[in-house]
Amino acid sequence: MAQVMAAPSAMMTVQVPEGAPPGTMVQLTAPNGQPVQVQIPPGLGPGQQFTIAVPAAAPQMMMPAAPAGPVVLVDHLLVANCGKFPGQAFAGYAADDVMGAGARPAFASEVTFGMIMDNMGCCKNPYQGLEVPVYLSTIDAGNGKITDRNFEAARLHFDVVPACQCPCDNTPISGRVVKAGVAYPLVSHGGPSACPQCIADADMTVNSTTLKGTLYPCCVQPCCDTPFVRPVEGEPGAGMYRWILQPCASGPGRDPVQPFRRMPCCFCPGGKPIGLQTYSMQLPAKNDVPPEVWFAAAIFESVVYPYHQQGDGGGGDGGGGGATASPPAR
């Protein structure tokens, strides 16, 4: 095999190997990893060198920039195909307001049944240690799959998810979103409660931003979407808005951006993904995390809610809350 000495350009120096007279075809590997066949020129013997041009290295696929905007939307979807256990998909967008004006596709992620089963263990919460990639991509409206997995923008890690979420356990649920080597912590504070309707959910922090807890509505109307909001203290309008999309309802929550159907009154698995709930994050003025982190924070919240802040071992002291708050006007 000919000896290769890389040059700093698309030219390559080749040394004639032993037993290769002029006219012999030899195969070698270019510095960019591509196989190259070359013919030994006339008049050259073993040990002599000559220069050839080789194809330049294939261009690296550059990570595109995620769309930006004052609002990050997340559509939480149920993917239920006949003969298979259901999974979840998450479609993310940048938008101009919390009701979805100017929505631009940005992120996609999924938590499949297979991911959960692979992460199962004895006396272990199936989300403990789970890693969820966040892609610069979209969710296919026909089959609920991620359309492009070439660019992983970030990764959500569920670090502490207690196996037994008992009312007496005040262990916070925590995770992190890692983007470009930087970790942004997510924490749901406090502990669970046996009464979601009467104790406000715990505060949740996204890096340095605190989203106040929310109280589950005491009366849920089957014909109307169920609203929640985690406001940012001191910043009117900023926070995480969430609507559970009720079957057969037509609002007042934000509809999924794509034509993902709502849960029908009579559910049969199969067909297009189903919108379970929608999130809208009005970013705070002092936002210190990229939009991928807010997208992942909605996935985190969908797993940990309801997780209730406790008092001193009995009852609950609430986490603040804005159960009755409304989205800011357009």
Side-chain angles (χ1 to χ4, degrees):
M1 179 67 70
Q3 180 180 347
V4 178
M5 289 169 284
S9 68
M11 303 302 292
M12 185 173 70
T13 300
V14 180
Q15 182 171 299
V16 178
E18 294 289 339
T24 303
M25 297 297 297
V26 294
Q27 182 168 315
L28 47 89
T29 301
N32 60 17
Q34 296 179 336
V36 176
Q37 279 198 331
V38 62
Q39 187 176 47
I40 303 300
L44 296 184
Q48 292 184 290
Q49 297 178 348
F50 61 99
T51 302
I52 62 171
V54 295
Q60 295 289 326
M61 296 181 69
M62 300 297 292
M63 177 83 76
V71 175
V72 174
L73 311 177
V74 181
D75 293 344
H76 181 190
L77 311 167
L78 176 70
V79 182
N81 295 315
C82 294
K84 297 182 180 180
F85 288 99
Q88 302 172 73
F90 299 85
Y93 307 84
D96 299 326
D97 67 28
V98 297
M99 297 309 292
R104 302 170 292 283
F107 311 114
S109 195
E110 64 184 3
V111 178
T112 66
F113 180 77
M115 291 169 64
I116 295 295
M117 291 302 295
D118 290 344
N119 200 53
M120 292 286 283
C122 181
C123 301
K124 174 189 175 185
N125 189 297
Y127 281 91
Q128 172 72 38
L130 186 69
E131 297 184 14
V132 182
V134 174
Y135 297 99
L136 293 178
S137 187
T138 58
I139 296 295
D140 189 291
N143 58 27
K145 294 182 178 180
I146 297 172
T147 59
D148 184 353
R149 298 174 187 264
N150 284 319
F151 303 107
E152 182 177 321
R155 183 168 289 238
L156 168 61
H157 299 252
F158 287 91
D159 293 326
V160 179
V161 187
C164 177
Q165 297 181 17
C166 306
C168 58
D169 183 2
N170 291 337
T171 304
I173 295 178
S174 63
R176 60 202 151 93
V177 183
V178 179
K179 174 179 171 57
V182 179
Y184 301 90
L186 305 175
V187 181
S188 181
H189 302 275
S193 166
C195 184
Q197 279 76 21
C198 59
I199 300 176
D201 191 60
D203 290 354
M204 175 176 157
T205 53
V206 179
N207 205 42
S208 65
T209 300
T210 298
L211 301 171
K212 302 302 292 181
T214 184
L215 186 66
Y216 196 95
C218 293
C219 181
V220 176
Q221 299 295 329
C223 60
C224 299
D225 298 328
T226 306
F228 300 83
V229 63
R230 291 180 178 275
V232 176
E233 192 169 23
E235 288 201 35
M240 175 184 285
Y241 299 87
R242 171 178 172 234
W243 294 272
I244 296 178
L245 305 179
Q246 298 293 349
C248 305
S250 58
R254 179 180 67 77
D255 282 320
V257 176
Q258 291 196 60
F260 298 117
R261 59 178 178 158
R262 288 169 173 255
M263 180 74 77
C265 296
C266 179
F267 172 64
C268 296
K272 297 180 180 180
I274 295 170
L276 294 178
Q277 53 189 1
T278 54
Y279 287 85
S280 296
M281 273 80 67
Q282 177 75 49
L283 304 186
K286 297 180 180 180
N287 178 43
D288 59 357
V289 301
E292 295 93 325
V293 176
W294 284 105
F295 172 81
I299 301 175
F300 180 83
E301 205 268 358
S302 75
V303 172
V304 305
Y305 183 88
Y307 200 53
H308 298 274
Q309 186 169 3
Q310 295 289 297
D312 53 0
D317 57 8
T324 59
S326 300
R330 294 195 186 193

